[in-house]
Amino acid sequence: MASVEPTLDREATLAALRSTVARFASEEVAPILSEMDEREVFPEATVRRMKELGFFGLPIPEEYGGLGLGKTGYCAVVEELSKVDASHAAILGAHTSLGMTPLYYFGTEEQKQRFLVPAARGERLMAFSLTEPGSGSDSGALVTSARAEGDCYLLNGEKIYVTNGAEANVVLVLAANDVKLGPRGGITAFLVEKGTRGFTVGRLEKKMGLHGTSTAQLLFQDCAVPKENVLGEVGRGFVVAMTALDVGRLSLGAGSLGGMQGAMREALTYAKNRLQFDLPIVEHQAIQFKLADMAMHVHALKTMVYAAAEHQDRMGPSVKGWTREDRAKKTRDSAIIKCLASEWATRTIHDALQIHGGLGYIRGTPIERAYRDARISEIFEGTNEIQRLVVARDLITRGWVD
Ligand SMILES: Cc1cc2nc3c(=O)[nH]c(=O)nc-3n(C[C@H](O)[C@H](O)[C@H](O)COP(=O)(O)OP(=O)(O)OC[C@H]3O[C@@H](n4cnc5c(N)ncnc54)[C@H](O)[C@@H]3O)c2cc1C
């Protein structure tokens, strides 16, 4: 299978990209999923194929090793992958939304050449590490410390729940240069390379779903990170993290959109083929109403995700050039999408499982796996309670702005 050429015209490129991803997902990802889920292993071979196909540099411009397809192209790939599997989409998402895009927005030219180019080419995997045992939703309360010493910062502390944490070559780590200042001046973003002395991968969590992803504890003990690895300004790391999460929440919306379509497809096929009372169950209105609700939510979400992706693309790469209104809209829209998409996905997959009857509860069916995989989207990258706070604060501050 050929990778997608970035030189085709944009619409044709996106259509070609979608069909490449769909073919890859059905021919190469679907066959390994039962084993990946059962054994809870990182799918190395298919991740390597995603790198070969160019998926690891989708929104990054060609001059930095990517395909230059913006958030729109990135969301299209996440959507297509998620129709078949959420783990592959999560691996790509942690690398792209949370690792690479802040590097693209805030990195110096030297950092882009050193870190972004190999990441976008798929030569190095990235992860993002904000959460700590004592700071989840209240992420500004993190206590992993960063103390300046000579040419370095010494990092000390414990991070948890890091997606790609076991495999990543470079981790974007948020640490406190001054705990007392918290998110307003006290947090800095660091690019930490695997193999740096004092940096170790600790416990790997066992999870309900997303069994193809690692969820790692990271430990820092007098870990000396060179000052040139500070991403953005010292004390401005919280802005770096929140900018990454705006992209992450949008791509989670695209992931939920794909998951919903995958579940709808499974439910429709099953309902057309399952006979009860001498009729395919799809003839029953109770089943039809569930399918109709799925279609309506998919339709609405598709419009929302791509409108927000296009808005982020129109804002361009220069953070300093973003207007206050555009920033506020980006943050609000990605919070709305993340929250609604994850709740609609939960409901859609719940109903799709119900349509499968007892079979939906049997371990190893795609719908059973999708049900376990989907639940996390209401929790990670900011719980839905936090998304509602973001939306409410914006409404109170700006009023309703279309
Ligand atoms: C599989 C997985 C992958 C993850 N990947 C990453 C990653 O790659 N990088 C990373 O940094 N983190 C990652 N996380 C962490 C994730 O983002 C956090 O778990 C999440 O933000 C919630 O934090 P918490 O678990 O500490 O919950 P808490 O913050 O303790 O929240 C507990 C409950 O209280 C609610 N709550 C808290 N504060 C408020 C409030 N003010 N108002 C209303 N309700 C509130 C929450 O909504 C939630 O329901 C991952 C987590 C998991 C499980």
Side-chain angles (χ1 to χ4, degrees):
M1 198 182 301
S3 62
V4 176
E5 287 299 324
T7 46
L8 298 173
D9 107 345
R10 194 175 166 77
E11 285 302 308
T13 303
L14 285 179
L17 184 66
R18 276 189 183 271
S19 70
T20 300
V21 183
R23 201 153 8 108
F24 164 72
S26 69
E27 290 175 6
E28 301 185 49
V29 175
I32 66 154
L33 291 178
S34 288
E35 195 187 345
M36 178 197 81
D37 186 50
E38 212 44 55
R39 292 183 47 223
E40 303 188 26
V41 287
F42 183 83
E44 266 180 49
T46 42
V47 167
R48 199 176 322 115
R49 288 286 295 134
M50 293 204 296
K51 292 174 177 175
E52 287 165 11
L53 291 165
F55 298 174
F56 277 69
L58 290 157
I60 304 301
E62 293 164 64
E63 61 178 306
Y64 293 117
L67 290 184
L69 294 172
K71 308 297 185 300
T72 314
Y74 169 47
C75 283
V77 172
V78 172
E79 181 192 340
E80 290 299 328
L81 270 180
S82 302
K83 288 179 185 172
V84 174
D85 181 48
S87 284
H88 283 74
I91 292 164
L92 183 64
H95 169 83
T96 308
S97 309
L98 304 181
M100 277 194 317
T101 51
L103 184 47
Y104 177 50
Y105 286 143
F106 295 95
T108 62
E109 188 55 35
E110 191 266 341
Q111 286 172 336
K112 286 179 186 165
Q113 294 302 331
R114 252 179 82 209
F115 295 105
L116 183 60
V117 171
R121 286 189 185 140
E123 293 157 11
R124 299 180 96 191
L125 186 69
M126 294 196 71
F128 170 85
S129 179
L130 176 64
T131 306
E132 299 183 358
S135 72
S137 298
D138 187 7
S139 51
L142 61 82
V143 294
T144 291
S145 62
R147 183 165 51 83
E149 194 165 285
D151 295 340
C152 293
Y153 278 89
L154 288 184
L155 266 53
N156 280 285
E158 175 190 353
K159 294 286 187 181
I160 56 169
Y161 300 161
V162 182
T163 304
N164 292 346
E167 301 84 14
N169 308 99
V170 180
V171 184
L172 180 56
V173 178
L174 283 304
N177 53 289
D178 186 340
V179 175
K180 290 190 297 306
L181 292 177
R184 284 178 197 78
I187 295 175
T188 301
F190 297 90
L191 294 158
V192 184
E193 295 181 83
K194 183 167 256 174
T196 308
R197 197 139 50 89
F199 167 31
T200 48
V201 176
R203 187 181 66 247
L204 299 182
E205 306 293 352
K206 287 271 190 187
K207 307 188 291 293
M208 172 181 174
L210 283 193
H211 284 176
T213 68
S214 65
T215 304
Q217 176 198 41
L218 303 182
L219 301 163
F220 299 93
Q221 197 172 20
D222 286 332
C223 171
V225 181
K227 284 187 173 166
E228 65 257 24
N229 287 21
V230 168
L231 183 64
E233 292 167 37
V234 172
R236 298 272 296 158
F238 202 68
V239 176
V240 173
M242 294 305 120
T243 305
L245 287 169
D246 281 350
V247 183
R249 290 166 185 171
L250 169 65
S251 77
L252 283 184
S256 292
L257 175 61
M260 286 159 70
Q261 290 170 81
M264 183 168 69
R265 188 167 56 194
E266 293 284 333
L268 185 59
T269 305
Y270 188 77
K272 283 180 174 173
N273 289 297
R274 172 69 175 167
L275 295 182
Q276 285 296 281
F277 303 101
D278 297 324
L279 276 178
I281 59 169
V282 79
E283 298 296 334
H284 300 300
Q285 202 176 53
I287 302 285
Q288 291 173 4
F289 279 12
K290 284 188 176 63
L291 291 168
D293 282 349
M294 292 176 196
M296 286 189 247
H297 284 126
V298 164
H299 180 82
L301 185 57
K302 196 152 199 148
T303 310
M304 291 163 60
V305 164
Y306 290 99
E310 280 166 21
H311 175 248
Q312 289 200 10
D313 283 342
R314 276 196 306 278
M315 286 174 70
S318 168
V319 177
K320 290 203 169 102
W322 293 348
T323 65
R324 188 184 288 264
E325 282 302 302
D326 271 339
R327 282 172 203 266
K329 177 176 164 53
K330 173 167 70 71
T331 298
R332 181 201 63 184
D333 289 359
S334 48
I336 290 175
I337 286 168
K338 190 273 184 188
C339 187
L340 283 181
S342 57
E343 290 173 10
W344 290 351
T346 297
R347 176 167 165 197
T348 296
I349 295 167
H350 174 98
D351 284 352
L353 189 150
Q354 190 71 14
I355 288 173
H356 282 73
L359 183 64
Y361 198 70
I362 301 301
R363 187 80 178 252
T365 55
I367 199 65
E368 179 266 346
R369 186 177 57 247
Y371 185 81
R372 285 184 283 109
D373 285 347
R375 187 63 180 83
I376 187 61
S377 293
E378 293 186 43
I379 298 169
F380 64 6
E381 299 201 25
T383 64
N384 283 7
E385 289 77 12
I386 296 303
Q387 305 314 310
R388 286 187 162 89
L389 284 181
V390 170
V391 175
R393 279 183 196 140
D394 180 70
L395 188 60
I396 293 162
T397 313
R398 295 194 306 151
W400 181 251
V401 186
D402 260 342

